[in-house]
């Protein structure tokens, strides 16, 4: 069984905060993004860039570390890449992605940096946030523009502003309705491109009930994980995205009866009176892959 890279949580850490950078990985997030974009004021861009560079080159981290750069159309985007690629982050997170050409442009810059600094070719990945109707329309083009692409995400607040509304709590069935279509389209594009889909942050740290509802909704829609801004949200999000023991046991039983049927060359497979078809087998395999990646399941003989 292939062990999948878990990205149940992708937590931001402001690039101008030394304490956050030093301790961001200790809270258990699957992935951490050092941010030199929105959380850093213009006057602090240079110092944040330098701080992130030294954190990446001097400290050891227990989880995947990405860097959110400023968009390449801003005065800081290309400087971010030039300064931070030599520090070899695990991935570059591009905000406000709108076209495949942007991704190909950044891919070429990363390829050049990998060669200049002796890094393994293709080792620095890309993750892109969709925050506008144009980006959403081109979501598959973006998701498939480079083999470096590992995920596309939705920037909920920016996307809501771009369509002239606001991000709402909504309800437990649809969440904020303003994002329902966009979220689904992000998942469709990610699945077609064979990469992961990451949901937007939930910014109200006091409202755990709505956070849980929102995480359950995006899991049902097909997302692989959710961005977050505070360590206290990590366990809540992990609890929803990690398969329960009941789900693991059922997935094991599905695969057992499926393999038995294959051995007997039987075309009819049932479990607990219900017919088992190929989509259920695929779901069972995905549950066990996620459980394996989360460390709560290990297949015999591995």
């Amino acid at each position: 069984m292939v062990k999948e890279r878990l990205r149940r949580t992708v937590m931001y850490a402001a690039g101008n905060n030394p304490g956050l950078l030093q301790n961001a990985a200790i809270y258990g997030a699957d992935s951490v993004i050092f941010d030199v974009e929105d959380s850093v004021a213009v006057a602090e861009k240079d110092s944040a860039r330098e701080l992130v560079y030294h954190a990446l080159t001097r400290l050891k981290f227990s989880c995947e570390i990405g860097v959110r750069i400023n968009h390449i159309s801003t005065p800081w985007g290309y400087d971010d890449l030039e300064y931070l690629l030599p520090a070899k982050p695990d991935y570059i997170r591009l905000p406000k992605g709108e076209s495949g050409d942007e991704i190909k442009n950044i891919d070429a810059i990363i390829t050049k940096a990998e060669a200049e600094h002796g890094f393994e070719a293709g080792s620095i990945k890309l993750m892109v946030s969709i925050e506008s109707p144009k980006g959403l329309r081109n979501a598959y083009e973006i998701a498939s523009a480079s083999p470096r692409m590992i995920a596309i995400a939705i920037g909920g607040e920016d996307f809501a502003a771009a369509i002239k509304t606001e991000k709402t709590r909504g309800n437990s069935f649809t969440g904020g309705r303003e994002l329902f279509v966009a979220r689904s389209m992000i998942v469709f594009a990610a699945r077609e491109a064979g990469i992961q889909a990451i949901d937007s942050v939930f910014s109200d740290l006091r409202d755990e009930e709505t956070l849980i509802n929102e995480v359950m909704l995006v899991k049902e829609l097909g997302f692989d994980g959710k961005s977050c801004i505070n360590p206290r949200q990590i366990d809540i999000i992990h609890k929803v995205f990690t398969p329960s023991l009941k789900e693991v046991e059922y997935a094991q039983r599905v695969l057992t009866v499926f393999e038995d049927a294959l051995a007997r060359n039987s075309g009819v497979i049932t479990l607990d009176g219900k017919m088992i078809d190929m989509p259920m087998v695929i779901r069972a395999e995905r549950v066990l892959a996620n459980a394996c990646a989360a460390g709560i399941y290990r297949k015999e003989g591995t």
Side-chain angles (χ1 to χ4, degrees):
M1 180 175 296
V2 177
K3 188 170 184 177
E4 288 194 352
R5 164 73 77 169
L6 277 184
R7 295 187 182 90
R8 297 166 298 182
T9 44
V10 179
M11 189 179 78
Y12 288 106
N16 59 347
N17 187 323
L20 270 181
L21 298 186
Q22 184 174 6
N23 298 318
I26 69 174
Y27 299 105
D30 293 324
S31 186
V32 169
I33 294 177
F34 292 168
D35 183 30
V36 296
E37 197 224 8
D38 277 354
S39 62
V40 177
V42 170
E44 297 184 20
K45 294 287 187 190
D46 290 343
S47 58
R49 199 183 288 140
E50 187 168 359
L51 192 57
V52 169
Y53 173 86
H54 285 285
L56 286 169
T57 53
R58 304 289 175 85
L59 302 177
K60 299 292 184 185
F61 298 101
S62 58
C63 70
E64 180 183 57
I65 303 291
V67 173
R68 182 166 74 169
I69 63 169
N70 293 276
H71 193 272
I72 53 176
S73 64
T74 70
W76 311 283
Y78 285 112
D79 288 344
D80 290 343
L81 288 169
E82 182 180 357
Y83 200 90
L84 294 172
L85 284 174
K88 201 178 185 304
D90 291 314
Y91 62 91
I92 294 294
R93 166 98 168 218
L94 179 73
K96 302 176 177 60
E98 292 201 325
S99 76
D101 287 342
E102 295 170 344
I103 310 309
K104 292 173 183 173
N105 185 4
I106 295 172
D107 183 304
I109 294 170
I110 296 175
T111 298
K112 183 170 180 285
E114 286 175 338
E116 288 177 349
H117 297 282
F119 302 152
E120 180 184 352
S123 57
I124 300 177
K125 306 298 183 184
L126 274 166
M127 184 186 296
V128 177
S129 180
I130 305 296
E131 303 173 17
S132 69
K134 181 179 179 181
L136 185 62
R137 175 163 50 82
N138 294 328
Y140 173 71
E141 176 188 303
I142 292 167
S144 59
S146 163
R148 298 181 190 277
M149 287 292 298
I150 52 174
I152 52 173
I154 180 167
E157 294 286 357
D158 287 284
F159 189 87
I163 60 173
K164 297 186 177 180
T165 183
E166 60 183 322
K167 189 171 182 289
T168 65
R169 286 175 170 76
N171 58 56
S172 59
F173 297 104
T174 65
R177 287 179 294 180
E178 70 283 349
L179 294 183
F180 191 75
V181 172
R183 279 173 163 150
S184 296
M185 291 179 67
I186 292 289
V187 172
F188 298 162
R191 293 293 172 256
E192 187 175 1
I195 63 175
Q196 293 181 330
I198 308 296
D199 190 48
S200 180
V201 299
F202 181 76
S203 56
D204 189 344
L205 300 180
R206 301 163 300 177
D207 188 356
E208 292 187 357
E209 182 180 355
T210 304
L211 171 61
I212 293 170
N213 288 336
E214 189 166 289
V215 181
M216 292 175 67
L217 169 69
V218 299
K219 181 188 176 188
E220 289 175 1
L221 289 177
F223 280 88
D224 298 281
K226 187 170 180 61
S227 302
C228 63
I229 54 174
N230 190 285
R232 65 193 288 185
Q233 297 179 319
I234 293 172
D235 287 345
I236 294 171
I237 298 172
H238 282 190
K239 187 174 182 179
V240 175
F241 273 108
T242 303
S244 66
L245 291 178
K246 185 177 179 181
E247 290 172 320
V248 171
E249 289 172 0
Y250 183 74
Q252 288 177 293
R253 293 176 65 207
V254 168
L255 294 184
T256 296
V257 298
F258 176 70
E259 289 165 2
D260 286 347
L262 286 181
R264 291 184 285 103
N265 200 26
S266 172
V268 179
I269 310 171
T270 60
L271 178 63
D272 300 336
K274 296 179 182 177
M275 200 160 112
I276 302 297
D277 53 17
M278 205 58 208
M280 297 177 72
V281 173
I282 293 171
R283 280 197 294 273
E285 290 176 336
R286 179 169 170 77
V287 166
L288 294 188
N290 285 339
C292 184
I296 61 170
Y297 167 75
R298 186 173 181 180
K299 188 176 182 180
E300 290 183 11
T302 62

